[in-house]
PDB file of all heavy atoms in Angstrom:
ATOM      1  N   LEU I 242     131.803 -18.116 178.839  1.00 97.00           N
ATOM      2  CA  LEU I 242     133.195 -18.306 179.168  1.00 97.00           C
ATOM      3  C   LEU I 242     133.963 -16.968 178.922  1.00 97.00           C
ATOM      4  O   LEU I 242     134.823 -16.646 179.708  1.00 97.00           O
ATOM      5  CB  LEU I 242     133.725 -19.337 178.120  1.00 97.00           C
ATOM      6  CG  LEU I 242     133.732 -20.734 178.543  1.00 97.00           C
ATOM      7  CD1 LEU I 242     134.107 -21.670 177.402  1.00 97.00           C
ATOM      8  CD2 LEU I 242     134.381 -21.001 179.897  1.00 97.00           C
ATOM      9  N   CYS I 243     133.567 -16.161 177.904  1.00 97.00           N
ATOM     10  CA  CYS I 243     134.324 -14.842 177.682  1.00 97.00           C
ATOM     11  C   CYS I 243     133.981 -13.942 178.835  1.00 97.00           C
ATOM     12  O   CYS I 243     134.924 -13.292 179.341  1.00 97.00           O
ATOM     13  CB  CYS I 243     133.831 -14.276 176.481  1.00 97.00           C
ATOM     14  SG  CYS I 243     134.544 -14.902 174.909  1.00 97.00           S
ATOM     15  N   ASN I 244     132.790 -13.941 179.326  1.00 96.00           N
ATOM     16  CA  ASN I 244     132.488 -13.039 180.432  1.00 96.00           C
ATOM     17  C   ASN I 244     133.157 -13.520 181.759  1.00 96.00           C
ATOM     18  O   ASN I 244     133.500 -12.661 182.604  1.00 96.00           O
ATOM     19  CB  ASN I 244     130.885 -13.119 180.776  1.00 96.00           C
ATOM     20  CG  ASN I 244     130.188 -12.208 179.912  1.00 96.00           C
ATOM     21  OD1 ASN I 244     130.677 -11.110 179.486  1.00 96.00           O
ATOM     22  ND2 ASN I 244     128.918 -12.501 179.544  1.00 96.00           N
ATOM     23  N   CYS I 245     133.430 -14.756 181.849  1.00 96.00           N
ATOM     24  CA  CYS I 245     134.143 -15.223 183.023  1.00 96.00           C
ATOM     25  C   CYS I 245     135.634 -14.917 182.995  1.00 96.00           C
ATOM     26  O   CYS I 245     136.217 -14.713 184.097  1.00 96.00           O
ATOM     27  CB  CYS I 245     134.006 -16.810 183.025  1.00 96.00           C
ATOM     28  SG  CYS I 245     134.517 -17.515 184.492  1.00 96.00           S
ATOM     29  N   TYR I 246     136.330 -14.900 181.842  1.00 96.00           N
ATOM     30  CA  TYR I 246     137.649 -14.756 181.803  1.00 96.00           C
ATOM     31  C   TYR I 246     138.314 -13.570 181.105  1.00 96.00           C
ATOM     32  O   TYR I 246     139.452 -13.259 181.198  1.00 96.00           O
ATOM     33  CB  TYR I 246     138.331 -15.988 181.116  1.00 96.00           C
ATOM     34  CG  TYR I 246     137.999 -17.292 181.925  1.00 96.00           C
ATOM     35  CD1 TYR I 246     137.212 -18.291 181.289  1.00 96.00           C
ATOM     36  CD2 TYR I 246     138.563 -17.487 183.142  1.00 96.00           C
ATOM     37  CE1 TYR I 246     137.059 -19.522 181.968  1.00 96.00           C
ATOM     38  CE2 TYR I 246     138.348 -18.668 183.852  1.00 96.00           C
ATOM     39  CZ  TYR I 246     137.562 -19.649 183.287  1.00 96.00           C
ATOM     40  OH  TYR I 246     137.319 -20.855 183.990  1.00 96.00           O
ATOM     41  N   TYR I 247     137.401 -12.794 180.374  1.00 96.00           N
ATOM     42  CA  TYR I 247     137.921 -11.667 179.624  1.00 96.00           C
ATOM     43  C   TYR I 247     137.160 -10.372 179.944  1.00 96.00           C
ATOM     44  O   TYR I 247     136.072 -10.498 180.520  1.00 96.00           O
ATOM     45  CB  TYR I 247     137.902 -11.846 178.203  1.00 96.00           C
ATOM     46  CG  TYR I 247     138.548 -13.145 177.637  1.00 96.00           C
ATOM     47  CD1 TYR I 247     137.989 -14.297 177.493  1.00 96.00           C
ATOM     48  CD2 TYR I 247     140.011 -12.950 177.265  1.00 96.00           C
ATOM     49  CE1 TYR I 247     138.707 -15.411 177.028  1.00 96.00           C
ATOM     50  CE2 TYR I 247     140.693 -14.056 176.870  1.00 96.00           C
ATOM     51  CZ  TYR I 247     140.079 -15.369 176.753  1.00 96.00           C
ATOM     52  OH  TYR I 247     140.773 -16.377 176.342  1.00 96.00           O
ATOM     53  N   ASP I 248     137.589  -9.194 179.573  1.00 94.00           N
ATOM     54  CA  ASP I 248     136.822  -7.951 179.863  1.00 94.00           C
ATOM     55  C   ASP I 248     135.822  -7.854 178.719  1.00 94.00           C
ATOM     56  O   ASP I 248     135.757  -8.613 177.732  1.00 94.00           O
ATOM     57  CB  ASP I 248     137.769  -6.732 179.899  1.00 94.00           C
ATOM     58  CG  ASP I 248     138.589  -6.479 178.631  1.00 94.00           C
ATOM     59  OD1 ASP I 248     138.088  -6.874 177.481  1.00 94.00           O
ATOM     60  OD2 ASP I 248     139.682  -5.965 178.732  1.00 94.00           O
ATOM     61  N   GLU I 249     134.966  -6.899 178.864  1.00 95.00           N
ATOM     62  CA  GLU I 249     133.793  -6.690 178.057  1.00 95.00           C
ATOM     63  C   GLU I 249     134.231  -6.236 176.679  1.00 95.00           C
ATOM     64  O   GLU I 249     133.612  -6.685 175.669  1.00 95.00           O
ATOM     65  CB  GLU I 249     132.767  -5.713 178.607  1.00 95.00           C
ATOM     66  CG  GLU I 249     131.432  -5.680 177.782  1.00 95.00           C
ATOM     67  CD  GLU I 249     130.413  -4.923 178.392  1.00 95.00           C
ATOM     68  OE1 GLU I 249     130.562  -3.670 178.769  1.00 95.00           O
ATOM     69  OE2 GLU I 249     129.323  -5.505 178.728  1.00 95.00           O
ATOM     70  N   SER I 250     135.308  -5.525 176.452  1.00 95.00           N
ATOM     71  CA  SER I 250     135.747  -5.174 175.223  1.00 95.00           C
ATOM     72  C   SER I 250     136.123  -6.330 174.322  1.00 95.00           C
ATOM     73  O   SER I 250     135.818  -6.407 173.208  1.00 95.00           O
ATOM     74  CB  SER I 250     136.961  -4.172 175.347  1.00 95.00           C
ATOM     75  OG  SER I 250     137.475  -3.769 174.095  1.00 95.00           O
ATOM     76  N   PHE I 251     136.915  -7.150 174.946  1.00 96.00           N
ATOM     77  CA  PHE I 251     137.345  -8.382 174.201  1.00 96.00           C
ATOM     78  C   PHE I 251     136.196  -9.175 173.884  1.00 96.00           C
ATOM     79  O   PHE I 251     136.064  -9.788 172.792  1.00 96.00           O
ATOM     80  CB  PHE I 251     138.352  -9.288 175.097  1.00 96.00           C
ATOM     81  CG  PHE I 251     138.887 -10.491 174.430  1.00 96.00           C
ATOM     82  CD1 PHE I 251     140.029 -10.541 173.807  1.00 96.00           C
ATOM     83  CD2 PHE I 251     138.070 -11.738 174.538  1.00 96.00           C
ATOM     84  CE1 PHE I 251     140.476 -11.766 173.142  1.00 96.00           C
ATOM     85  CE2 PHE I 251     138.459 -12.802 173.949  1.00 96.00           C
ATOM     86  CZ  PHE I 251     139.678 -12.838 173.238  1.00 96.00           C
ATOM     87  N   THR I 252     135.221  -9.361 174.871  1.00 97.00           N
ATOM     88  CA  THR I 252     134.132 -10.239 174.687  1.00 97.00           C
ATOM     89  C   THR I 252     133.199  -9.767 173.454  1.00 97.00           C
ATOM     90  O   THR I 252     132.806 -10.643 172.679  1.00 97.00           O
ATOM     91  CB  THR I 252     133.284 -10.329 176.018  1.00 97.00           C
ATOM     92  OG1 THR I 252     134.105 -10.869 177.045  1.00 97.00           O
ATOM     93  CG2 THR I 252     132.026 -11.198 175.769  1.00 97.00           C
ATOM     94  N   LEU I 253     132.990  -8.482 173.542  1.00 97.00           N
ATOM     95  CA  LEU I 253     132.140  -7.939 172.376  1.00 97.00           C
ATOM     96  C   LEU I 253     132.706  -8.105 171.068  1.00 97.00           C
ATOM     97  O   LEU I 253     132.094  -8.559 170.131  1.00 97.00           O
ATOM     98  CB  LEU I 253     131.905  -6.467 172.622  1.00 97.00           C
ATOM     99  CG  LEU I 253     130.928  -6.132 173.790  1.00 97.00           C
ATOM    100  CD1 LEU I 253     130.861  -4.586 174.060  1.00 97.00           C
ATOM    101  CD2 LEU I 253     129.480  -6.567 173.445  1.00 97.00           C
ATOM    102  N   ALA I 254     134.041  -7.865 170.965  1.00 96.00           N
ATOM    103  CA  ALA I 254     134.749  -7.969 169.651  1.00 96.00           C
ATOM    104  C   ALA I 254     134.608  -9.418 169.195  1.00 96.00           C
ATOM    105  O   ALA I 254     134.390  -9.791 168.037  1.00 96.00           O
ATOM    106  CB  ALA I 254     136.194  -7.487 169.807  1.00 96.00           C
ATOM    107  N   TYR I 255     135.057 -10.330 170.079  1.00 97.00           N
ATOM    108  CA  TYR I 255     135.132 -11.798 169.776  1.00 97.00           C
ATOM    109  C   TYR I 255     133.655 -12.265 169.411  1.00 97.00           C
ATOM    110  O   TYR I 255     133.559 -13.021 168.361  1.00 97.00           O
ATOM    111  CB  TYR I 255     135.684 -12.657 170.879  1.00 97.00           C
ATOM    112  CG  TYR I 255     135.524 -13.991 170.670  1.00 97.00           C
ATOM    113  CD1 TYR I 255     136.154 -14.708 169.713  1.00 97.00           C
ATOM    114  CD2 TYR I 255     134.632 -14.857 171.427  1.00 97.00           C
ATOM    115  CE1 TYR I 255     136.068 -16.161 169.565  1.00 97.00           C
ATOM    116  CE2 TYR I 255     134.472 -16.185 171.277  1.00 97.00           C
ATOM    117  CZ  TYR I 255     135.197 -16.817 170.318  1.00 97.00           C
ATOM    118  OH  TYR I 255     135.034 -18.125 170.135  1.00 97.00           O
ATOM    119  N   MET I 256     132.712 -11.984 170.145  1.00 97.00           N
ATOM    120  CA  MET I 256     131.322 -12.505 169.893  1.00 97.00           C
ATOM    121  C   MET I 256     130.717 -12.007 168.655  1.00 97.00           C
ATOM    122  O   MET I 256     130.110 -12.781 167.962  1.00 97.00           O
ATOM    123  CB  MET I 256     130.413 -12.143 171.097  1.00 97.00           C
ATOM    124  CG  MET I 256     130.766 -12.940 172.439  1.00 97.00           C
ATOM    125  SD  MET I 256     130.751 -14.752 172.232  1.00 97.00           S
ATOM    126  CE  MET I 256     129.124 -15.083 171.588  1.00 97.00           C
ATOM    127  N   LYS I 257     131.068 -10.817 168.269  1.00 97.00           N
ATOM    128  CA  LYS I 257     130.533 -10.343 166.946  1.00 97.00           C
ATOM    129  C   LYS I 257     131.262 -11.023 165.790  1.00 97.00           C
ATOM    130  O   LYS I 257     130.578 -11.380 164.811  1.00 97.00           O
ATOM    131  CB  LYS I 257     130.787  -8.728 166.929  1.00 97.00           C
ATOM    132  CG  LYS I 257     129.990  -7.915 167.784  1.00 97.00           C
ATOM    133  CD  LYS I 257     130.385  -6.481 167.814  1.00 97.00           C
ATOM    134  CE  LYS I 257     129.552  -5.684 168.790  1.00 97.00           C
ATOM    135  NZ  LYS I 257     129.927  -4.256 168.773  1.00 97.00           N
ATOM    136  N   LYS I 258     132.465 -11.337 165.909  1.00 96.00           N
ATOM    137  CA  LYS I 258     133.165 -12.031 164.937  1.00 96.00           C
ATOM    138  C   LYS I 258     132.773 -13.454 164.676  1.00 96.00           C
ATOM    139  O   LYS I 258     132.445 -13.848 163.638  1.00 96.00           O
ATOM    140  CB  LYS I 258     134.654 -11.921 165.192  1.00 96.00           C
ATOM    141  CG  LYS I 258     135.342 -10.667 164.985  1.00 96.00           C
ATOM    142  CD  LYS I 258     136.887 -10.752 165.057  1.00 96.00           C
ATOM    143  CE  LYS I 258     137.356 -11.133 166.483  1.00 96.00           C
ATOM    144  NZ  LYS I 258     138.799 -11.132 166.572  1.00 96.00           N
ATOM    145  N   ILE I 259     132.672 -14.205 165.807  1.00 97.00           N
ATOM    146  CA  ILE I 259     132.426 -15.575 165.746  1.00 97.00           C
ATOM    147  C   ILE I 259     130.845 -15.718 165.377  1.00 97.00           C
ATOM    148  O   ILE I 259     130.491 -16.701 164.652  1.00 97.00           O
ATOM    149  CB  ILE I 259     132.729 -16.269 167.064  1.00 97.00           C
ATOM    150  CG1 ILE I 259     132.715 -17.805 166.854  1.00 97.00           C
ATOM    151  CG2 ILE I 259     131.781 -15.895 168.228  1.00 97.00           C
ATOM    152  CD1 ILE I 259     133.714 -18.343 165.861  1.00 97.00           C
TER     153      ILE I 259
END
Side-chain angles (χ1 to χ4, degrees):
L242 273 177
C243 282
N244 276 329
C245 189
Y246 296 115
Y247 301 95
D248 61 29
E249 189 169 59
S250 176
F251 179 98
T252 298
L253 286 172
Y255 169 69
M256 289 304 302
K257 289 175 183 179
K258 290 186 296 183
I259 196 62

